[in-house]
Amino acid sequence: MQLTTVRTFLAVCRLGSLSSAAAELGYTQSAVSRQVAALEQYVGVPLLERRSQGVVPTAAGDAFRHHARAIAAEADRAVRAARDARTTTAPIALGATPSAAAGVVPSALRTVRDEHPAVRWTLVTGLTRELTEAVAAGTLDVAVVTDAPPGLPDDDRVERNPLGTDAMCVIVPEQHPARAARGPLSLADFADATWVEDNEGSEILLRTAAARAGFDPRIDVTAADLTGKAAMVAAGHAVALVPGLLGRALRRDVVAVAIEDAPTRGVYAVTPRGPAPAGTLVRAMIDALRIAVSDADPMVGKAAG
């Protein structure tokens, strides 16, 4: 049984006519008839019923058509896979901190793939220190990190490419009074609030900024990660200091509030020092990330999402 014969049979069933199928496929009507006859002989049962108005599948032909479609579709996928394998390279390994992975990496990836549709990417998340080590060790081609406490590791095996500055913001529950505030807010306006934190570096950032604002934050709630942190805020248990990078990636039932004296952190793309096989694509990703970071302003006074 040949694939061309299967495709001819499918065309006849779809068009309901030997002559119409012949015209579409560029065959003579007798050639189409011979292909159908050969297929019926191979299967051992009639697949088409000839009528005055054309042809229709028999019960056997209808059952055969169901599987024939799958055969033709799978053959098309096999051809595409072979062609793609010829033109694509190994995936580019990208790493990012959780806020960058949720907030700016998706749009940057879309930008790069618009220009390089055949390129494949893998993405892993982690903290700055472990991502930097992975880049230095050669397991990542590029990683998006920040200089938030405890800061960027001092590793001469990598290069730091500045992407921009990320201003932190405070997220509050939907009905929090801060949403209706007139004029800019200060971190000191949240001096009496209960705070939730998810890691030591973020807590250091909050305590340092709060000390400058003249208060000691009451951190009575802990969370495992940014997702849990936002969930605690949404449920009304606390407020939280989060990266502005998150932007529209924040859940819908919290409100991002920009504050005048918010702490900031630098955002960087870390790459291996020296030339790299994927250098052109990594440079395109860095350029796209730089644009994404500049566009990632928090949604001031509005429910996120």
Side-chain angles (χ1 to χ4, degrees), residues 75-145:
D76 290 339
R77 284 192 289 270
V79 171
R80 288 195 298 271
R83 290 172 178 170
D84 289 346
R86 182 187 61 187
T87 57
T88 59
T89 58
I92 307 300
L94 171 64
T97 60
S99 60
V104 296
V105 168
S107 62
L109 276 175
R110 183 177 61 243
T111 298
V112 175
R113 295 198 68 175
D114 285 345
E115 295 295 326
H116 306 276
V119 174
R120 295 174 294 152
W121 296 83
T122 61
L123 173 64
V124 298
T125 59
L127 299 181
T128 290
R129 183 169 294 279
E130 61 194 47
L131 293 173
T132 302
E133 177 58 36
V135 170
T139 56
L140 289 177
D141 296 302
V142 57
V144 188
V145 300

Side-chain angles (χ1 to χ4, degrees), residues 235-268:
H237 297 300
V239 300
L241 191 69
V242 301
L245 284 185
L246 284 176
R248 292 182 179 274
L250 286 169
R251 54 190 290 160
R252 294 177 180 273
D253 50 1
V254 301
V255 178
V257 180
I259 49 179
E260 290 187 307
D261 51 354
T264 60
R265 57 184 191 164
V267 186
Y268 299 82

